Amino acid sequence: MSAAFDAGGLAGRIAGGEPLALARGISHVENESDGFEALLERLDGRTGRARRIGITGPPGAGKSTLTAALTRHYLEQSLKVGIVAVDPTSPFTGGALLGDRIRMGELSTEPGVFIRSMASRGSLGGLATATREAADLMDAAGYDRVILETLGVGQAELDIAVSADTTAVVLVPESGDGVQAMKAGLMEVADLFVINKSDRPGADRLEKEIAIIMSIRFANRPASGAGGGAGDPGDGAEVWRMPITQTVASEARGVEEFAAHLDRHFDWLRSTGRLEANRRAARLRRAHDALLRRSQRDAQRIWRAASPETLDSGASPYALARRLYEEFRETLRGT
């Protein structure tokens, strides 16, 4: 984008609910084009109204189908839904493969629904930051629910899920999923569990397995609240005991119950003060991410400005990095 980018004008159109403006704004943020932070800053005061729902889990769990079924449930309640779907990266273009958008089919043309696929690009913090900011723009555009659907296979996806008000971990009845989820850290970010494709054998067994794991976890919960994990408010506050819902998302079975559990968790967050605390922590995390992103841009500028003589000086990588950093600090002092 050029330096003439009109952040104020685009912000006004996004706030007015224009889908094309929202799409352009997300692209601007995802590409870190000139003026993208000004756009986010102008819309910051309009965020905080949407409920953010994270849906994560292993590949093949039916997350997209469940997201689509949940979205239809919200549409029946006259709610607007924004969806950020984190897709694997195309090895040819570097962009999202758009598998989630294809699987959601006709949902993408529904009024009141906005779907955005974002490519993983092998990124960690950058992906999580861009996804959170895309959710901010959807929030500012007036969407009542923002669903963050992630791959559930890496640290970036866990970071994204933690950015939601409520995170649902979606599993399937096949053996070992419960243990694998625990090993992958999904247990730590879950606020509730969904066993999708529950018409398959093993759904009841998996539900019992998860319940046993969670009962052990609560039995070992620190009385002082030092743990602070999901479902653990500490300090004597009411404990959130994670529900387990069995669904067949392709038939919308169990989706209404799932949505009711999401509502209950949000009410619990508000009543215990966790919602305000979590959102305050999320804002600080975004400030931290913005600082890291700015420092990375500075580091790239330092490297590009380095002379061939400096780079070929024969110094160790660490000595070279120190020298470049000190030269950069001297430049800052002189400005």
Side-chain angles (χ1 to χ4, degrees):
M1 297 289 178
S2 68
F5 169 69
D6 182 9
L10 184 58
R13 291 170 55 203
I14 292 173
E18 292 186 31
L20 289 178
L22 176 57
R24 184 186 175 200
I26 292 175
S27 294
H28 208 69
V29 167
E30 188 175 15
N31 296 328
E32 297 185 15
S33 303
D34 291 343
F36 81 99
E37 287 186 337
L39 174 65
L40 290 165
E41 192 165 1
R42 285 177 179 271
L43 289 168
D44 181 66
R46 297 186 60 87
T47 62
R49 288 173 289 187
R51 295 189 192 180
R52 303 189 186 197
I53 300 166
I55 295 183
T56 189
K63 297 182 295 295
S64 295
T65 306
L66 181 63
T67 296
L70 180 63
T71 299
R72 291 189 183 95
H73 173 81
Y74 286 142
L75 290 177
E76 291 172 359
Q77 299 179 349
S78 300
L79 298 174
K80 295 179 63 179
V81 183
I83 301 170
V84 183
V86 177
D87 276 332
T89 304
S90 165
F92 302 104
T93 66
L97 288 176
L98 303 182
D100 290 289
R101 197 179 309 200
I102 293 170
R103 285 190 291 273
M104 291 178 193
E106 74 278 3
L107 191 63
S108 61
T109 62
E110 285 277 353
V113 177
F114 184 94
I115 303 175
R116 180 62 176 242
S117 293
M118 302 187 77
S120 58
R121 298 180 183 174
S123 174
L124 289 178
L127 171 66
T129 301
T131 303
R132 284 193 290 266
E133 290 170 342
D136 286 344
L137 293 183
M138 291 181 183
D139 189 350
Y143 287 85
D144 304 291
R145 301 287 187 273
V146 175
I147 300 176
L148 308 173
E149 185 204 330
T150 75
L151 300 172
V153 294
Q155 184 59 43
E157 285 70 41
L158 296 181
D159 288 344
I160 294 167
V162 170
S163 302
D165 296 319
T166 301
T167 298
V169 171
V170 185
L171 303 171
V172 287
E174 280 70 22
S175 60
D177 278 343
V179 174
Q180 289 304 314
M182 182 172 61
K183 288 180 179 178
L186 290 177
M187 285 289 188
E188 299 304 314
V189 301
D191 296 304
L192 50 91
F193 291 93
V194 177
I195 302 174
N196 193 31
K197 306 180 183 180
S198 61
D199 52 345
R200 295 180 180 179
D204 292 339
R205 176 202 53 78
L206 178 58
E207 180 172 347
K208 291 177 182 177
E209 182 180 353
I210 296 171
I212 290 170
I213 293 171
M214 298 314 299
S215 66
I216 294 172
R217 179 179 172 188
F218 280 116
N220 296 328
R221 183 172 64 90
S224 64
D232 180 7
D235 300 325
E238 177 190 355
V239 172
W240 170 255
R241 296 199 175 272
M242 303 176 197
I244 305 168
T245 308
Q246 292 194 22
T247 64
V248 182
S250 60
E251 302 174 8
R253 284 162 49 187
V255 173
E256 188 172 341
E257 180 185 356
F258 173 42
H261 286 319
L262 291 171
D263 288 342
R264 282 203 310 112
H265 182 255
F266 191 80
D267 291 340
W268 174 83
L269 287 172
R270 283 193 298 198
S271 66
T272 59
R274 288 294 289 269
L275 181 65
E276 183 179 352
N278 290 350
R279 288 186 170 183
R280 183 168 58 250
R283 287 182 64 82
L284 291 176
R285 185 164 54 243
R286 282 199 288 277
H288 178 261
D289 290 344
L291 177 61
L292 287 180
R293 185 166 54 196
R294 189 175 291 268
S295 67
Q296 287 169 352
R297 289 199 299 268
D298 286 343
Q300 291 169 353
R301 191 160 57 247
I302 294 170
W303 188 261
R304 288 194 299 266
S307 66
E309 293 78 15
T310 299
L311 296 178
D312 295 334
S313 63
S316 73
Y318 313 102
L320 177 59
R322 279 197 306 273
R323 177 177 174 182
L324 292 173
Y325 182 67
E326 289 301 326
E327 290 178 358
F328 176 69
R329 290 181 63 185
E330 289 298 323
T331 301
L332 289 179
R333 292 191 187 100
T335 59

